Structures are given as C-alpha cells and as structure tokens.
Amino acid sequence: MANIVPEEIDAAARRGHAAREIETLEMLEQRLSSEYTVYHGVHWARAGEGASVYGEIDFIVVDRLGRAIAIEQKNGAVEIGADDLIKLYPSGAKGIRAQVTRNLNQLRSRFGQEHPGKRLDIDHLLYLPDHVVAGPLPSSIDPNRVVDARERDRLAARIAEILEDAVTPSSSAQYQRPADAGDIHRFLAELVDVAPSF
C-alpha cells in the first residue's frame, strides 16, 4: 500500500465535492506499493502585484528515488478546443493545460525559493475518470500524459510506468542541482500539513 499524506481524510470531504478525489486517493493507496507516497490536496499561494494567487494540485506521487508526478483530475465532461482541453464550470470555461502549467511552474518556483540552488523535477498526468477522449487531442496536450475513462483501472499502473521510465534526477548543464527525495518529501509535507488553530 502507498503512503498517504496527509493520512486523515475529513468526513465532510468524503461527502462533498471532493468525494471523487477521495475515491481516486483510496484507489491509489491500494494499488501503488509502499515505494510510493501520494500527497493529496497540495495547495500553493503567491502574493504579488496587488493580489494573491492560489492553486491546488489534486495529487503528487513521489517514488523512493524522488521522482515525482502531479496528477490533475477533472471530473465530468471535458471539451476539446483548438489548442487546449476545456473544462466547463459554473463560473465559465477554463483551459486545463494552462491550469496544469501554472500549478507546476508555481510549485517549482516555490520549491526553488525554499531550496536555493536546487530544482524540482516533476512530470504530470491528466486524469479524466468520466470522459473518453475521442479523436485527436490538441497539439499542446501529450496523449501519453492523459488517462481517460477507458483506462481508469490502469491509473496506478500508468503512474508507476511513467515514474519508472523517468530518468533519475541528475545534475545537468543548468546551475541547479536536482532535489533529492528527502527535500521533496519535506517540501510537499509542509504544503499539505496545514490545519486550523482554534
């Protein structure tokens, strides 16, 4: 069984809009081995230019070597646009690629601020448990990084395959060292280990 962070799952979340993500979390816990840690509800915030910006990554899975993958889960219908996948919300349509890119860039930026001279190498996967991708995807979406309703039962296996195929983070021509597994686990634990103080 995979390690889950945080371990506690709020009873209200099980009944509310997060119930589908909790189902996915429980499936990942059961189907991934103890070599993996699944962080859920990873929140980030950035203040600047007169406003605060917030974001959340549904899941980040990290293996024992520190290889990491962010999973963005989109429940319900998704539309294929000219250059992006589109999720319709009551507040309007949002491009999924743009959201994933923003979340990953902010996560990397925050990691770099907290760990000067080190970089966070992280892959991504889009999980569409209710949608079957019929036809070609926009060129901005890598079909190898999409798991749709047809492959729902293979989500955990797909995560493991991507991480196992990933190159273990190593130094490159860049001026930053790759983060080690300990750095990544401490960083992510701090982002999800937030509780109200009464």
Side-chain angles (χ1 to χ4, degrees):
M1 285 179 50
N3 304 296
I4 302 297
V5 179
E7 292 179 11
E8 301 81 25
I9 300 173
D10 187 291
R14 289 183 184 275
R15 294 187 304 273
H17 72 279
R20 295 295 303 284
E21 284 81 6
I22 300 301
E23 289 174 13
T24 302
L25 178 65
E26 291 172 341
M27 184 264 293
L28 293 176
E29 179 182 28
Q30 293 298 318
R31 295 186 183 179
L32 290 171
S33 75
S34 61
E35 299 280 315
Y36 299 91
T37 300
V38 181
Y39 296 87
H40 59 99
V42 180
H43 294 82
W44 59 265
R46 178 179 53 86
E49 300 177 16
S52 293
V53 180
Y54 302 91
E56 179 202 8
I57 299 173
D58 296 319
F59 309 99
I60 298 179
V61 180
V62 183
D63 72 6
R64 64 182 178 80
L65 298 176
R67 296 175 295 195
I69 185 167
I71 295 105
E72 180 66 30
Q73 178 171 330
K74 293 296 181 192
N75 302 318
V78 173
E79 294 182 0
I80 298 177
D83 61 352
D84 201 352
L85 290 175
I86 308 297
K87 176 67 181 162
L88 299 176
Y89 296 97
S91 59
K94 291 186 181 178
I96 295 172
R97 178 190 46 81
Q99 180 185 9
V100 169
T101 300
R102 184 191 73 204
N103 282 336
L104 292 179
N105 286 342
Q106 292 300 327
L107 196 68
R108 288 181 185 116
S109 175
R110 179 143 174 212
F111 182 88
Q113 291 168 358
E114 294 183 22
H115 298 86
K118 294 186 179 181
R119 71 176 188 274
L120 175 63
D121 293 324
I122 186 167
D123 206 330
H124 71 281
L125 186 69
L126 176 60
Y127 178 43
L128 307 172
D130 306 317
H131 186 83
V132 172
V133 176
L137 288 166
S139 61
S140 63
I141 304 292
D142 182 352
N144 294 317
R145 293 298 182 265
V146 177
V147 173
D148 68 6
R150 291 174 297 199
E151 300 179 300
R152 186 176 22 219
D153 291 337
R154 282 200 25 79
L155 177 63
R158 192 72 192 100
I159 291 166
E161 290 165 5
I162 291 170
L163 290 177
E164 287 168 13
D165 288 345
V167 175
T168 302
S170 61
S171 296
S172 68
Q174 297 176 351
Y175 296 104
Q176 296 177 312
R177 294 187 329 265
D180 61 37
D183 292 334
I184 295 169
H185 286 295
R186 283 187 296 277
F187 172 71
L188 293 175
E190 289 172 8
L191 291 184
V192 298
D193 190 18
V194 178
S197 176
F198 298 102

